[in-house]
Amino acid sequence: MAEYYYKLDVGQLPDEVYREPVPVKEWLQRTIACSKKEGFPEKSLNQLLPIPWDVEAERIVGIALDMIGNVLPLLLPLLCILAFFFQMAKYTLCSILLYTGTLFVIEQFYFHTKFIKQQAGAGDLQPNDVRHNQYLFTERNITKYLSLKVVWPKSLHRPNMEGTPVIYCIVPHGVAPYGITAYPIWSKLWNDQTCHWTCAPILLKLPFISCFLKQIGYIPAKSKYIFDTLSKKGNNVGLVLDGIAGMFQTQRDEEVATLKARKGIVKIALRAGVPIIPVYGFGHTALYTIMVDPFGIMEFASLTLQASLTPFFGRWGWFLGPPRRVPVAVCLGEPVQCPKKIDQPTREQVEEYHQKLLNSYQELFETHKHAYGWGHKTLKFV
């Protein structure tokens, strides 16, 4: 019987298997194959499974700490200045420092110690070892928290992509694209090339978070770095293709992907001669509630600075807190196979392969939306 799709429940992988030295065949032995062109059964990709209390608690504390840590470099200098003039600013500053300090102590001195000991050091950061660092226990716990599953077509199944660097392009961004944080799958499941995800260059200049991002392989979202990673290093690259703009596209009955103008990555793929693999993160837009002002001021400012400046609420209405426990299914579509390297792609070639990419996204969404329980939704490109 022909197999059309494969599924791996990443969140349910045993911890002893979720290790860098474990060969990929042990992961592939745990996949489930689908012999139907229309995909997996209805609502089979949106099952939320119970998890240990300590995994859930660690992610609640850890993600809240990450979120407040992202804004502190911008917020603290402003509050320090205002505190000289306004009593309320002083109280706010003290409250934020107390909140952040409490989260840090719990995460660093309880959960970090607990999980590193539990995983015999396998989930910690090591200097200059990107592949090892992608198994960090915090990101591993996200896969459990969100019951993360990954689905791919037979065209991507080993050995089809072995030895070939690829570009993974995931949408939608949502507030946070947690589907990408199962970092080892992008460096292991379909080929052995280390995957380097991209981020806004400003994030690699901020204290604390920049150190973390660099150690798990992030590179600036600039064409030079992307092209060099593909062509000179022969590694995979991952992008959240709709970027910050994707944060503001949240609709109840419609998924909106900001992709019509995202043609730069197609030009890079044509120059490097590598496939583009469309990826859809089902559930990304359900993790948080974002507050959007009616005049689009926050969206304009965020897009200008390439950093989120808009408030959002997660689980239990927690401001800048952990996401809701919503299952996430990361589904890969048919690769857009680019021809051999083209030094100077023409506008017509870029348009042609960009349209192929949009078509692959559409087919991917329509194939798997019923399995996620989103049969009523449509995908719109803007």
Side-chain angles (χ1 to χ4, degrees), residues 7-14 32 43-53 55-56 140-150 315 324-328 372:
K7 176 181 70 173
L8 179 64
D9 193 332
V10 182
Q12 289 295 100
L13 280 174
I32 297 174
K43 297 184 179 180
S44 61
L45 297 180
N46 69 348
Q47 298 170 353
L48 191 65
L49 303 175
I51 57 175
W53 73 269
V55 171
E56 184 169 5
R140 165 60 171 154
N141 285 345
I142 290 177
T143 69
K144 299 178 181 180
Y145 185 89
L146 300 176
S147 295
L148 186 71
K149 301 172 184 64
V150 59
R315 195 171 179 182
R324 303 180 184 94
R325 273 212 74 204
V326 173
V328 169
Y372 189 74

Side-chain angles (χ1 to χ4, degrees), residues 65-200:
L65 179 61
D66 291 342
M67 291 301 183
I68 191 66
N70 288 341
V71 301
L72 278 183
L74 300 175
L75 190 61
L76 280 184
L78 177 62
L79 284 176
C80 287
I81 294 172
L82 293 176
F84 282 104
F85 305 99
F86 303 101
Q87 194 72 14
M88 181 59 70
K90 185 182 296 185
Y91 291 145
T92 302
L93 177 62
C94 291
S95 298
I96 291 175
L97 291 176
L98 178 62
Y99 171 76
T100 306
T102 302
L103 293 174
F104 176 80
V105 168
I106 296 172
E107 178 69 18
Q108 186 66 28
F109 296 103
Y110 178 70
F111 286 123
H112 183 271
T113 303
K114 177 183 177 67
F115 282 100
I116 293 302
K117 182 178 180 180
Q118 182 176 306
Q119 298 184 22
D124 204 0
L125 292 174
Q126 299 292 335
N128 304 315
D129 192 345
V130 169
R131 291 187 74 94
H132 172 89
N133 294 340
Q134 291 182 344
Y135 291 79
L136 187 65
F137 78 89
T138 54
E139 314 311 290
R140 165 60 171 154
N141 285 345
I142 290 177
T143 69
K144 299 178 181 180
Y145 185 89
L146 300 176
S147 295
L148 186 71
K149 301 172 184 64
V150 59
V151 175
W152 64 95
K154 64 179 180 180
S155 58
L156 297 181
H157 201 59
R158 282 184 180 253
N160 293 333
M161 291 293 156
E162 289 181 358
T164 303
V166 302
I167 304 175
Y168 299 109
C169 293
I170 190 170
V171 296
H173 186 289
V175 169
Y178 287 116
I180 73 172
T181 59
Y183 294 111
I185 69 173
W186 313 103
S187 300
K188 187 168 192 167
L189 264 184
W190 305 287
N191 62 28
D192 296 320
Q193 275 74 15
T194 301
C195 186
H196 296 268
W197 284 86
T198 65
C199 64

Side-chain angles (χ1 to χ4, degrees), residues 4 51 61 118 134 136 164 194 266 279 291 297 303-304 315 351-352 362 373:
Y4 291 98
I51 57 175
V61 172
Q118 182 176 306
Q134 291 182 344
L136 187 65
T164 303
T194 301
V266 176
V279 187
M291 305 300 292
I297 298 174
L303 292 175
T304 301
R315 195 171 179 182
E351 292 286 347
E352 176 188 351
Q362 193 71 59

Side-chain angles (χ1 to χ4, degrees), residues 79-370:
L79 284 176
C80 287
I81 294 172
L82 293 176
F84 282 104
F85 305 99
F86 303 101
Q87 194 72 14
M88 181 59 70
K90 185 182 296 185
Y91 291 145
T92 302
L93 177 62
C94 291
S95 298
I96 291 175
L97 291 176
L98 178 62
Y99 171 76
T100 306
T102 302
L103 293 174
F104 176 80
V105 168
I106 296 172
E107 178 69 18
Q108 186 66 28
F109 296 103
Y110 178 70
F111 286 123
H112 183 271
T113 303
K114 177 183 177 67
F115 282 100
I116 293 302
K117 182 178 180 180
Q118 182 176 306
Q119 298 184 22
D124 204 0
L125 292 174
Q126 299 292 335
N128 304 315
D129 192 345
V130 169
R131 291 187 74 94
H132 172 89
N133 294 340
Q134 291 182 344
Y135 291 79
L136 187 65
F137 78 89
T138 54
E139 314 311 290
R140 165 60 171 154
N141 285 345
I142 290 177
T143 69
K144 299 178 181 180
Y145 185 89
L146 300 176
S147 295
L148 186 71
K149 301 172 184 64
V150 59
V151 175
W152 64 95
K154 64 179 180 180
S155 58
L156 297 181
H157 201 59
R158 282 184 180 253
N160 293 333
M161 291 293 156
E162 289 181 358
T164 303
V166 302
I167 304 175
Y168 299 109
C169 293
I170 190 170
V171 296
H173 186 289
V175 169
Y178 287 116
I180 73 172
T181 59
Y183 294 111
I185 69 173
W186 313 103
S187 300
K188 187 168 192 167
L189 264 184
W190 305 287
N191 62 28
D192 296 320
Q193 275 74 15
T194 301
C195 186
H196 296 268
W197 284 86
T198 65
C199 64
I202 190 174
L203 293 179
L204 296 176
K205 297 178 181 179
L206 296 178
F208 307 118
I209 188 174
S210 62
C211 180
F212 163 73
L213 293 175
K214 290 175 182 177
Q215 288 192 77
I216 58 177
Y218 272 83
I219 60 174
K222 295 288 187 179
S223 59
K224 178 184 183 302
Y225 294 97
I226 296 171
F227 182 78
D228 287 350
T229 300
L230 293 165
S231 295
K232 295 182 179 180
K233 298 180 180 179
N235 286 333
N236 300 329
V237 170
L239 301 93
V240 184
L241 195 53
D242 53 351
I244 294 295
M247 289 185 62
F248 298 90
Q249 304 294 348
T250 55
Q251 307 290 336
R252 178 170 297 181
D253 296 320
E254 189 176 54
E255 291 282 287
V256 180
T258 308
L259 294 179
K260 284 188 174 182
R262 306 287 171 153
K263 301 175 184 178
I265 194 60
V266 176
K267 186 174 183 179
I268 294 172
L270 289 169
R271 289 177 59 215
V274 301
I276 309 174
I277 300 176
V279 187
Y280 203 89
F282 288 90
H284 275 183
T285 54
L287 297 172
Y288 287 97
T289 298
I290 188 170
M291 305 300 292
V292 181
D293 68 278
F295 305 105
I297 298 174
M298 287 296 186
E299 181 177 0
F300 175 79
S302 297
L303 292 175
T304 301
L305 298 175
Q306 283 299 293
S308 172
L309 298 178
T310 190
F312 56 86
F313 300 85
R315 195 171 179 182
W316 309 302
W318 191 332
F319 178 59
L320 301 185
R324 303 180 184 94
R325 273 212 74 204
V326 173
V328 169
V330 174
C331 298
L332 286 70
E334 293 293 335
V336 176
Q337 298 286 358
C338 294
K340 292 184 179 180
K341 298 180 182 180
I342 302 174
D343 291 335
Q344 295 294 331
T346 65
R347 180 177 178 180
E348 290 73 20
Q349 288 172 322
V350 172
E351 292 286 347
E352 176 188 351
Y353 284 90
H354 180 257
Q355 187 58 52
K356 288 182 178 181
L357 180 60
L358 295 184
N359 294 342
S360 191
Y361 270 116
Q362 193 71 59
E363 180 184 359
L364 154 65
F365 185 83
E366 292 299 321
T367 298
H368 298 297
K369 68 178 185 179
H370 295 281

